Amino acid sequence: MEVDRLREAYDEVLAEVDAGGFGPPPAGQLSAEQIVAHLAANDELMTEATEAVLAGSPFAYYDLETIHRPQVDALVAECGGLDELATLLRATSQKLCALTERLGPVAQTPVEAHLREGFDLIVDEPLPWARTLDLHARVHLPKHLAQLRMLRAG
């Protein structure tokens, strides 16, 4: 896993969040606050999986974007605003990147993965953990970056 690509993807998202000026989301879509909360919550799940891989423990990773809306809303309420959520995302992303740097050869450990990015990406099988992290950097984070940009354009 190329941790530099992961860091760059987070830097792009966080720069967009810092720019602010987001409008309300279209019906059924996530707000900027919900997007950032989702990413922070997802980082926590990915951190748990990365820690399990480092410890040699079995783990299954589920990207829960479509089913954890109440948890995302609770996190938005708990943090109190976009600035606080951005601070949280900085912390969760830094922790995930630091753990990713430590993976070395165990990055190829298969982890049961359940991912869905609309119709573009559907995974329901074991993947090397490095591949899941790569999909996060190259598909998941850019998808939410595009959503944030749309909220500003709208």
Side-chain angles (χ1 to χ4, degrees):
M1 169 66 212
E2 187 182 319
V3 74
D4 290 340
R5 176 64 199 127
L6 186 60
R7 280 197 175 97
E8 289 169 12
Y10 278 114
D11 287 347
E12 289 179 60
V13 168
L14 287 162
E16 195 69 25
V17 171
D18 290 344
F22 302 107
Q29 299 294 313
L30 298 176
S31 68
E33 291 83 1
Q34 289 169 319
I35 291 168
V36 176
H38 158 72
L39 290 173
N42 188 68
D43 283 354
E44 293 291 338
L45 295 172
M46 295 191 90
T47 292
E48 289 176 19
T50 305
E51 288 171 336
V53 167
L54 285 166
S57 300
F59 198 87
Y61 168 71
Y62 296 82
D63 176 17
L64 301 175
E65 179 173 357
T66 58
I67 60 173
H68 79 304
R69 190 70 157 279
Q71 292 88 342
V72 166
D73 291 342
L75 187 54
V76 168
E78 178 184 322
C79 285
L82 193 56
D83 289 343
E84 294 82 3
L85 287 161
T87 298
L88 176 63
L89 181 58
R90 276 188 179 78
T92 61
S93 64
Q94 287 171 2
K95 182 175 182 179
L96 178 60
C97 288
L99 287 169
T100 299
E101 275 186 323
R102 294 179 36 209
L103 284 171
V106 298
Q108 297 308 312
T109 301
V111 173
E112 188 67 35
H114 306 277
L115 312 167
R116 172 173 242 122
E117 292 293 339
F119 297 106
D120 299 330
L121 174 69
I122 299 172
V123 175
D124 194 15
E125 63 184 320
L127 288 180
W129 187 238
R131 178 69 179 132
T132 302
L133 289 166
D134 185 62
L135 289 169
H136 181 59
R138 296 184 188 276
V139 179
H140 188 231
L141 289 169
K143 172 193 164 197
H144 290 301
L145 176 61
Q147 286 178 318
L148 288 167
R149 288 179 174 156
M150 283 183 5
L151 289 174
R152 182 171 300 109

